[in-house]
Amino acid sequence: MSSSNRIVTYKSPGEVEVQSMDYPSLEIPGQVADHFGIPKKAPHAVILKVVTSNICGSDQHMVRGRTTAPVGQTLGHEITGEVVETGEDVLFVGEGDICSVPFNIACGRCRMCDEGKTGICLNVNPARAGAAYGYVDMGGWIGGQAEYVMVPYADFNLLKFPDRDQALDKIMDLTMLSDIFPTGYHGAYTAGVTTGSTVYVAGAGPVGLAAAHSAQLLGASAVLVGDMNRARLDQAESFGCVGIDLSTDGELADKIAEVLGAPEVDAAIDAVGFEARAHGEGAGEAPATVLNDCMTVTTAGGGIGIPGLYVTGDPGAVDAAAEEGTIGVRLGLGWAKSHTFATGQCPVKSYNRQLMNMILHDKAQIAKAVNATTIDLDGAPEGYRAFDDGAARKFVIDPHGMVPGRAAA
């Protein structure tokens, strides 16, 4: 058993580095234990040898310096791993099992967990409801872009894959179950996408592509994806979506009408979040753009899913109001059109088992949709740079060379 761990950390705006730290222990963070008056020792936890851990757009917000993340913040909330150590109270997963880890950390015992709202567990973060691995203001839990990671409340949190060999064979799809596949699906589902729906997805990054593929799985008749990055639009078009180029002149509604014959869609999904930009090549940041677009182009009575991240603290915001998450949303428009809005962290456990079955039975090809690409742990800094430059890829860190076709590190 290793006595050390290597992990990706935030160094400064635009920079991450791989650092050495202590091998994880079966203990929860001291601030969590102290705040809730619970033991630090965690017999309900496991240690995972990380099989894959993905770079997420939410990580990029921190790395760009657009959150209050401190230097040294550990990174990585999209985790798939092999159990290598279990606490004495863990009953239903064991050593050698390969499992997906929902990015939401949930106790499985509070009111919110009982109601299936695992994204806002009440017992895992002193600052607010909800916690995540390796994320600022999310409870101080160590991230999973690492060699090893500790997972608490393991019987509740882990999704065990039924067959190890099958899991490794499909790992590039299954790794997306920790976050972006359920998150994209949540955006589409809560927007009301169903058989025959027409759908607009704002953003062709990995979450937007996952939302677009999810809309297809839910039966959408047409999925339109808007972005200003031609390579990302090409990626969306590669699996049957219609790319809407927002870098060119013209109103979004008119561009939609050119495709559908009408300027509105049944449902819209905001997969961009608070770093949204206005339309047009070289346009500046305008954080309410996507939400206002979604209300403009969604038909009366339609739904808007908002998996894109919005924050309460943005030191790089365009103005003082946006620094605290106050942006110029035309709520009156959404009210007048009787829109429904769904916001917040995706409760991954509400979807991951069903989506796992879709992958295992070859009904979903999420790795292909998001253009999943493996890198090793030492390649993480370059992966972050390429992602920030707009690469039309989803970078998957393979710290132990366990992904088939890659040599062991």
Side-chain angles (χ1 to χ4, degrees), residues 49-369:
K49 178 181 180 180
V50 176
V51 176
T52 53
S53 184
N54 317 325
I55 297 176
C56 181
S58 297
D59 298 320
Q60 286 285 18
H61 293 308
M62 288 189 290
V63 173
R64 291 190 190 111
R66 297 299 298 271
T67 71
T68 56
V71 172
Q73 168 73 52
T74 63
L75 300 173
H77 56 272
E78 299 190 8
I79 307 164
T80 306
E82 176 186 359
V83 178
V84 294
E85 183 180 348
T86 63
E88 59 188 12
D89 286 347
V90 176
L91 302 178
F92 302 111
V93 293
E95 292 185 19
D97 288 337
I98 296 181
C99 305
S100 180
V101 185
F103 79 90
N104 323 113
I105 300 172
C107 72
R109 309 176 189 197
C110 70
R111 171 187 168 185
M112 293 303 157
C113 289
D114 283 345
E115 295 176 1
K117 301 172 183 176
T118 52
I120 45 175
C121 174
L122 301 176
N123 292 328
V124 287
N125 184 356
R128 65 185 69 171
Y133 304 89
Y135 211 86
V136 60
D137 297 330
M138 284 290 180
W141 301 85
I142 300 298
Q145 288 172 11
E147 294 173 320
Y148 299 91
V149 68
M150 186 275 293
V151 175
Y153 309 109
D155 282 326
F156 184 72
N157 283 305
L158 292 179
L159 174 65
K160 181 172 71 173
F161 299 137
D163 181 86
R164 178 187 174 89
D165 291 339
Q166 183 188 38
L168 288 173
D169 184 58
K170 294 180 176 291
I171 195 65
M172 293 298 283
D173 291 290
L174 294 171
T175 188
M176 305 304 166
L177 291 173
S178 58
D179 184 354
I180 68 162
F181 196 10
T183 292
Y185 191 91
H186 180 64
Y189 181 81
T190 57
V193 177
T194 188
T195 305
S197 295
T198 57
V199 184
Y200 174 66
V201 179
V207 170
L209 297 172
H213 186 44
S214 297
Q216 293 173 331
L217 295 177
L218 286 164
S221 59
V223 181
L224 288 63
V225 182
D227 205 294
M228 290 182 278
N229 181 320
R230 186 64 251 177
R232 289 183 169 182
L233 290 174
D234 289 343
Q235 181 60 31
E237 292 173 350
S238 74
F239 60 96
C241 301
V242 178
I244 303 294
D245 189 349
L246 302 178
S247 69
T248 61
D249 293 335
E251 296 296 322
L252 175 60
D254 293 336
K255 294 179 180 184
I256 288 173
E258 289 178 9
V259 178
L260 300 178
E264 292 183 321
V265 292
D266 297 319
I269 303 164
D270 173 2
V272 178
F274 73 104
E275 289 192 61
R277 308 185 76 82
H279 298 181
E281 188 173 359
E285 192 168 308
T289 298
V290 170
L291 290 172
N292 289 333
D293 280 350
C294 287
M295 288 184 285
T296 299
V297 303
T298 299
T299 190
I304 300 171
I306 312 173
L309 175 67
Y310 288 86
V311 296
T312 57
D314 175 9
V318 294
D319 55 44
E323 286 183 9
E324 63 174 17
T326 301
I327 59 178
V329 175
R330 295 182 62 200
L331 187 59
L333 175 61
W335 190 94
K337 295 176 80 171
S338 294
H339 287 155
T340 60
F341 300 81
T343 68
Q345 288 187 42
C346 165
V348 171
K349 281 175 59 66
S350 295
Y351 307 105
N352 63 352
R353 186 175 300 277
Q354 300 94 316
L355 295 176
M356 174 190 73
N357 288 335
M358 294 291 282
I359 290 168
L360 295 181
H361 293 281
D362 299 319
K363 304 300 183 188
Q365 289 78 43
I366 185 64
K368 179 180 177 182

